[in-house]
Amino acid sequence: MKLSHVLPEPADTHGLGVELAGILRAGDLVVLVGPLGAGKTALTQGIGVGLGVREPVTSPTFVIARVHRGGRVPLVHVDAYRLGSVADVDDLDLDASAAESVTIVEWGQGLVEQLADEHLEVRLERRDDDVRTVELVPHGQGWIERLHV
Ligand SMILES: Nc1ncnc2c1ncn2[C@@H]1O[C@H](COP(=O)(O)OP(=O)(O)O)[C@@H](O)[C@H]1O
Ligand SMILES: [Mg+2]
């Protein structure tokens, strides 16, 4: 899949999430990096649709994390904004293990990378003209191969 994306509309962010979902599998860790309003939650909503989750994926800000089931693989959506450290996502006491789920983390940069051997970093930016740009940055050989870099 392409590493650089220019996303003029919310629907484009959503569509990229759907596309990304197509290559996600159990045990994956995806770290979303970008400022408030960059589209991290919107991208996760697209991932949810792509995985076949039926319920709406909303921002988990006040609950830290949410598990969405009913899709191809459970989707664990984490907002790490208020977490000082994460020894293990399993410490969040979710009813799902990271190994059996796809884990998507907002605000987790520098905090959650050690939870998995490899991870996909998704860098989102909001340009002055409101267009969003996204860069996929693979960390680990598996992700390099999966993205055909
Ligand atoms: N490609 C885009 N172009 C314009 N607006 C977008 C785009 N992607 C998302 N948005 C909008 O930006 C707003 C903030 O998105 P959100 O996903 O909540 O950001 P974050 O989770 O990074 O804080 C939402 O209203 C969303 O619809
Ligand atoms: Mg958000």
Side-chain angles (χ1 to χ4, degrees):
M1 112 172 242
K2 264 174 55 189
L3 297 185
S4 294
H5 300 264
V6 177
L7 311 170
E9 303 288 340
D12 300 316
T13 302
H14 190 269
L16 178 61
V18 173
E19 184 185 353
L20 194 52
I23 64 167
L24 292 177
R25 48 194 190 223
D28 282 348
L29 175 65
V30 180
V31 181
L32 307 183
V33 180
L36 187 69
K40 300 182 294 298
T41 299
L43 186 75
T44 309
Q45 287 166 342
I47 291 171
V49 168
L51 291 177
V53 172
R54 282 166 186 225
E55 66 199 10
V57 172
T58 54
S59 179
T61 301
F62 298 104
V63 292
I64 298 177
R66 237 183 227 128
V67 186
H68 299 279
R69 294 183 183 277
R72 181 164 66 73
V73 59
L75 170 62
V76 175
H77 184 198
V78 180
D79 187 325
Y81 193 75
R82 286 179 183 75
L83 294 182
S85 69
V86 182
D88 197 326
V89 164
D90 288 333
D91 284 353
L92 293 172
D93 224 11
L94 297 168
D95 185 25
S97 78
E100 66 165 2
S101 311
V102 164
T103 302
I104 313 285
V105 187
E106 300 188 33
W107 302 110
Q109 194 181 21
L111 209 57
V112 299
E113 291 87 349
Q114 75 276 10
L115 294 180
D117 292 340
E118 309 195 325
H119 69 278
L120 177 66
E121 176 184 350
V122 180
R123 288 190 196 153
L124 301 97
E125 279 172 35
R126 181 183 185 165
R127 295 194 329 211
D128 288 343
D129 61 1
D130 236 27
V131 167
R132 297 340 191 240
T133 61
V134 170
E135 296 287 334
L136 304 183
V137 184
H139 293 267
Q141 193 57 35
W143 272 111
I144 289 170
E145 284 166 15
R146 229 191 294 178
L147 295 176
H148 306 296
V149 180

